[in-house]
């Protein structure tokens, strides 16, 4: 039997990158997948088809995850279409890097709203469903910089640190109802965004990583699958670093 057979997963910001890898991995393990992105464009529709190719139900939803009312409506649609929600992955995120002295209020607010408030919005909407089911797994995508900080990323680091505190708090609040909450802290992951960096910059990163390579979205998806499955039935309130020992 597959690890996630019969489960329904919601993955935010999953049209590409790490979110897409998680959605595809979940589908390969038998989960039906509802995913969100700001727009369901041709790329998102292609992702929907890739997920469905595993023989599971798949549907993409246009959603501004940072908007409370919009999120509530989307979650209601997902419950209507899929019947239940067993797994929530709060993956939606952006960067607007800059040094504190030069950072605008807009840069700060945008990153906090998309990265952190969106997780609050989805947990707020999904929690009643999981509580009623007496079970569920919530996974917040944090980052190693949410633990260690990073110059030029105070907004991003703060949002990712918030994802850890949010997961730990929800684990304590909803644990008595059978709902688990954990966070994943990826390190340097090779995506479209990081591939655009100059080779010398990437090589500099690799030298800081004991495993001497960048991670892949599939590496992160493997950790997410563990946390989504019953293999981690007694794991809650934890932060799992997926960083090649970069931040240990």
């Amino acid at each position: 039997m597959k690890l996630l057979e019969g489960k329904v997963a919601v993955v935010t910001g999953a049209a590409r990158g790490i979110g897409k890898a998680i959605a595809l991995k979940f589908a390969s393990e038998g989960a039906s997948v509802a995913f969100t992105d700001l727009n369901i464009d041709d790329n998102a529709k292609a992702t929907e088809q890739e997920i469905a190719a595993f023989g599971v139900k798949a549907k993409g939803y246009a959603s501004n995850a940072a908007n409370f009312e919009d999120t509530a409506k989307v979650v209601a649609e997902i419950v209507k279409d899929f019947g239940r929600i067993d797994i929530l992955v709060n993956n939606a995120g952006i960067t607007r890097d800059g040094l504190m002295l030069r950072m605008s209020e807009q840069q700060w607010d945008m990153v906090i709203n998309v990265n952190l408030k969106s997780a609050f919005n989805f947990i707020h909407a999904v929690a009643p469903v999981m509580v009623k089911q007496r079970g569920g797994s919530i996974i917040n995508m944090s980052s190693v910089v949410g633990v260690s900080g990073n110059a030029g990323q105070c907004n991003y680091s703060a949002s990712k640190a918030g994802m850890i505190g949010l997961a730990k708090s929800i684990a304590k609040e909803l644990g008595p109802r059978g709902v688990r909450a954990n966070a994943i802290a990826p390190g340097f992951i090779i995506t479209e965004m990081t591939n655009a960096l100059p080779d010398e910059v990437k090589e500099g990163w690799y030298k800081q990583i004991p495993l001497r390579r960048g991670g892949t979205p599939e590496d992160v998806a493997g950790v997410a699958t563990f946390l989504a499955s019953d293999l981690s039935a007694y794991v809650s309130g934890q932060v799992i670093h997926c960083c090649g020992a970069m931040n240990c």
Side-chain angles (χ1 to χ4, degrees), residues 94-99 103 107 111 150 152-156:
I94 61 170
T95 58
R96 293 293 184 273
D97 296 347
L99 295 173
M103 183 172 289
Q107 286 174 299
V111 169
N150 195 33
Q153 286 193 307
C154 62
N155 51 1
Y156 186 77

Side-chain angles (χ1 to χ4, degrees), residues 108-131:
W108 174 271
D109 287 347
M110 188 177 296
V111 169
I112 295 297
N113 285 337
V114 174
N115 295 8
L116 182 56
K117 185 173 184 287
S118 65
F120 163 77
N121 291 343
F122 268 90
I123 292 173
H124 192 277
V126 167
V129 180
M130 292 185 172
V131 166

Side-chain angles (χ1 to χ4, degrees), residues 3-246:
L3 286 174
L4 304 178
E5 195 76 47
K7 294 184 182 293
V8 174
V10 176
V11 185
T12 69
R16 55 185 59 78
I18 292 174
K20 179 178 178 178
I22 291 172
L24 291 173
K25 181 63 175 177
F26 282 4
S28 75
E29 290 293 346
S32 293
V33 179
F35 71 92
T36 71
D37 214 82
L38 195 57
N39 298 295
I40 300 303
D41 54 15
D42 290 342
N43 179 70
K45 290 176 182 176
T47 296
E48 185 179 284
Q49 293 175 354
E50 288 182 61
I51 297 169
F54 287 99
V56 300
K57 185 172 181 177
K59 186 174 180 180
Y61 297 80
S63 168
N64 177 3
N67 183 284
F68 186 82
E69 291 79 13
D70 193 31
T71 299
K73 290 178 182 177
V74 166
V75 169
E77 286 182 43
I78 292 171
V79 173
K80 181 179 178 181
D81 292 340
F82 287 79
R84 58 186 294 118
I85 296 174
D86 302 288
I87 304 155
L88 168 64
V89 181
N90 287 309
N91 171 74
I94 61 170
T95 58
R96 293 293 184 273
D97 296 347
L99 295 173
M100 169 60 83
L101 294 178
R102 298 175 184 171
M103 183 172 289
S104 67
E105 181 183 15
Q106 182 184 29
Q107 286 174 299
W108 174 271
D109 287 347
M110 188 177 296
V111 169
I112 295 297
N113 285 337
V114 174
N115 295 8
L116 182 56
K117 185 173 184 287
S118 65
F120 163 77
N121 291 343
F122 268 90
I123 292 173
H124 192 277
V126 167
V129 180
M130 292 185 172
V131 166
K132 186 176 180 180
Q133 295 168 180
R134 303 292 298 183
S137 176
I138 295 170
I139 302 167
N140 282 355
M141 296 304 301
S142 182
S143 168
V144 292
V145 304
V147 177
S148 61
N150 195 33
Q153 286 193 307
C154 62
N155 51 1
Y156 186 77
S157 297
S159 72
K160 293 304 183 179
M163 292 289 266
I164 292 173
L166 179 59
K168 287 179 175 290
S169 297
I170 294 302
K172 292 180 182 294
E173 284 190 28
L174 300 185
R177 305 297 183 89
V179 179
R180 300 183 294 112
N182 294 283
I184 301 174
F188 186 82
I189 306 300
I190 301 168
T191 62
E192 290 179 14
M193 182 173 64
T194 57
N195 269 335
L197 295 171
D199 288 341
E200 59 269 23
V201 173
K202 288 186 282 188
E203 288 300 321
W205 273 100
Y206 298 157
K207 288 177 182 178
Q208 298 177 45
I209 302 169
L211 286 185
R212 294 294 187 268
R213 69 172 179 87
T216 67
E218 289 71 27
D219 289 326
V220 182
V223 179
T225 302
F226 166 71
L227 291 175
S229 76
D230 292 338
L231 290 176
S232 59
Y234 201 55
V235 178
S236 193
Q238 304 305 305
V239 184
I240 298 182
H241 291 247
C242 183
C243 63
M246 172 185 172

